[in-house]
Amino acid sequence: MTKLTLGSYPHMLGFEQLERLLERTAKTSEGYPPFNIEQTSDFSYRITLAVAGFSEDDLSITMEDRQLVIRGRQSDDGAERVFLHRGIASRQFQRSFVLADGVEVGEAKIENGLLHVDLTVQRPETVVQTIKIKKG
């Protein structure tokens, strides 16, 4: 059985990058921390991650090759503390979201243990181009 790719469809020219993006996204499916994605208007979204216990200094947000990467690393201050029971783990994480062309990262804020990252989609302008046909 032959695997169908976007390149095997003759009317889908130049979409090989989309196929690579889908494969890359499928590989980043760890479940921590949990998150929501909501559509806040026709041209905006909000990603919300549950980051209870993390401060602003423990989190970083970067754009790497059209990929929004959110990392969290808590400082280990347990050296001077004595735990009788430690059930709340301080663990690091990395969450990635592939963004389409035209999606811009806006404001990021943390409130009540939730990190909100707002995204906006730039409206593409409709371009009509007439191609002149030359006589052979």
Side-chain angles (χ1 to χ4, degrees), residues 82-134:
V82 177
F83 291 97
L84 300 179
H85 171 75
R86 189 163 190 171
I88 302 172
S90 60
R91 64 193 253 200
Q92 62 186 15
F93 71 86
Q94 176 175 312
R95 236 337 152 180
S96 300
F97 302 90
V98 178
L99 303 181
D101 289 338
V103 175
E104 300 294 327
V105 179
E107 183 180 67
K109 61 182 175 180
I110 189 167
E111 59 183 6
N112 300 325
L114 298 174
L115 174 66
H116 302 289
V117 181
D118 293 325
L119 309 171
T120 56
V121 180
Q122 302 301 317
R123 288 184 180 174
E125 293 183 23
T126 303
V127 177
V128 177
Q129 182 180 4
T130 303
I131 310 301
K132 187 170 180 142
I133 301 173
K134 296 181 182 179

Side-chain angles (χ1 to χ4, degrees), residues 33-40 43-51 59-63 67-71 93 95-97 99 103-111 113-121:
F35 66 95
N36 291 336
I37 300 175
E38 61 182 300
Q39 185 170 2
T40 53
F43 295 98
S44 63
Y45 302 94
R46 173 175 273 184
I47 299 172
T48 302
L49 280 83
V51 292
L59 300 167
S60 71
I61 303 171
T62 57
M63 281 292 295
Q67 189 165 329
L68 176 69
V69 180
I70 303 170
R71 293 181 178 92
F93 71 86
R95 236 337 152 180
S96 300
F97 302 90
L99 303 181
V103 175
E104 300 294 327
V105 179
E107 183 180 67
K109 61 182 175 180
I110 189 167
E111 59 183 6
L114 298 174
L115 174 66
H116 302 289
V117 181
D118 293 325
L119 309 171
T120 56
V121 180

Side-chain angles (χ1 to χ4, degrees), residues 7-18:
S8 63
Y9 293 96
H11 302 292
M12 303 287 285
L13 302 174
F15 285 92
E16 295 82 11
Q17 180 183 353
L18 177 60

Side-chain angles (χ1 to χ4, degrees), residues 3-6 12 15-29 67 98-99:
K3 177 184 172 188
L4 290 177
T5 63
L6 290 175
M12 303 287 285
F15 285 92
E16 295 82 11
Q17 180 183 353
L18 177 60
E19 188 170 19
R20 286 191 298 273
L21 258 117
L22 290 171
E23 288 175 0
R24 184 171 67 178
T25 304
K27 294 177 184 176
T28 60
S29 61
Q67 189 165 329
V98 178
L99 303 181

